[in-house]
């Protein structure tokens, strides 16, 4: 039994040591949303403050864990009145829930550099499982010799699943498109 315990500890330590942490290069990353207004136009929003990381022990990222935190108090749609309304209780309620988070729970290859990324999205105090489309855009090294990787994530959520906005879908659509792209550097 002692040998099995020592073997399990050694295996765990090997996995923990080989896991690599990738950090977001905020200057080369963005997080946005798009929602349809009055069934005829799209309104885009930009999260001006967010952070993300990846932990993976495999070169192909097939075991990667993605984590993201976004500051909901720093969302802009380039309209001051609308941006102020987004902060209120009926929309994001940032006084009580200033952040949105995502933590992946699984990743599955769908062919080539494309994956299905499953995880838990928490917004306005509500956590729901979501599956997003993930594309590995490329890899390389920067001038300092650090390894780099770029990813793009897209997906659609229903705003009312998270208690966002009581307005009817004819005013603001139920479906909200999320898009994120980021460049990550290996620590």
């Amino acid at each position: 039994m002692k040998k099995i315990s020592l073997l399990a500890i050694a295996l765990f330590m090997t996995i923990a040591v080989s896991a690599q942490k990738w950090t977001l290069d905020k200057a080369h990353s963005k997080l946005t949303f798009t929602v349809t207004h009055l069934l005829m136009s799209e309104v885009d929003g930009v999260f001006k403050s967010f952070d993300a990381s990846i932990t993976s022990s495999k070169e192909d990222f097939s075991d990667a864990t993605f984590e993201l935190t976004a500051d909901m108090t720093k969302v802009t749609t380039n309209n001051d009145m609308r941006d102020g309304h987004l902060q209120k209780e009926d929309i994001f309620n940032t006084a009580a829930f200033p952040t949105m988070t995502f933590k992946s729970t699984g990743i599955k290859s769908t062919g080539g550099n494309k994956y299905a990324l499953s995880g838990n999205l928490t917004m306005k105090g509500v956590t729901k499982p979501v599956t997003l489309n993930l594309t590995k855009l490329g890899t390389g090294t920067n001038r300092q010799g650090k390894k780099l990787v770029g990813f793009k994530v897209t997906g659609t959520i229903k705003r009312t699943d998270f208690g966002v906005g009581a307005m009817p879908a004819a005013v603001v659509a139920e479906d909200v498109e999320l898009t994120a792209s980021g460049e990550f550097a290996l620590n």
Side-chain angles (χ1 to χ4, degrees):
M1 185 63 135
K2 188 175 181 179
K3 286 182 182 180
I4 293 173
S5 295
L6 290 174
L7 180 62
I9 290 170
L11 180 61
F12 176 74
M13 293 300 288
T14 302
I15 291 169
V17 169
S18 65
Q20 297 178 325
K21 180 85 168 194
W22 299 76
T23 56
L24 184 68
D25 176 351
K26 294 178 186 180
H28 297 102
S29 303
K30 66 181 176 179
L31 176 61
T32 64
F33 69 87
T34 302
V35 65
T36 302
H37 179 253
L38 295 177
L39 305 174
M40 66 178 98
S41 66
E42 291 185 334
V43 173
D44 295 322
V46 176
F47 296 84
K48 293 178 87 175
S49 178
F50 66 96
D51 201 6
S53 65
I54 306 169
T55 304
S56 181
S57 61
K58 295 185 179 178
E59 288 285 323
D60 67 356
F61 294 91
S62 61
D63 68 340
T65 300
F66 290 75
E67 293 187 52
L68 173 130
T69 301
D71 184 344
M72 300 298 280
T73 68
K74 296 200 169 44
V75 174
T76 183
T77 62
N78 290 322
N79 179 290
D80 291 340
M81 190 166 75
R82 181 173 45 229
D83 293 350
H85 186 211
L86 291 177
Q87 305 301 311
K88 295 189 184 237
E89 191 173 331
D90 64 323
I91 306 294
F92 295 145
N93 191 9
T94 58
F97 307 104
T99 60
M100 173 180 75
T101 62
F102 173 81
K103 182 168 183 179
S104 67
T105 56
I107 185 169
K108 180 181 172 188
S109 176
T110 58
N113 287 335
K114 298 192 180 294
Y115 303 87
L117 183 66
S118 301
N120 292 314
L121 179 67
T122 301
M123 183 170 29
K124 204 173 176 183
V126 177
T127 301
K128 296 276 184 181
V130 297
T131 300
L132 306 169
N133 303 309
L134 175 71
T135 303
K136 184 170 74 170
L137 299 174
T139 59
T141 55
N142 65 15
R143 285 185 256 164
Q144 293 77 29
K146 280 192 169 190
K147 286 185 176 183
L148 303 174
V149 64
F151 283 99
K152 181 176 182 178
V153 177
T154 60
T156 302
I157 62 168
K158 293 210 175 293
R159 65 177 169 80
T160 53
D161 285 352
F162 296 91
V164 175
M167 64 286 275
V171 176
V172 176
E174 280 285 310
D175 290 343
V176 178
E177 297 172 29
L178 298 175
T179 303
S181 62
E183 188 174 297
F184 295 82
L186 180 60
N187 288 343

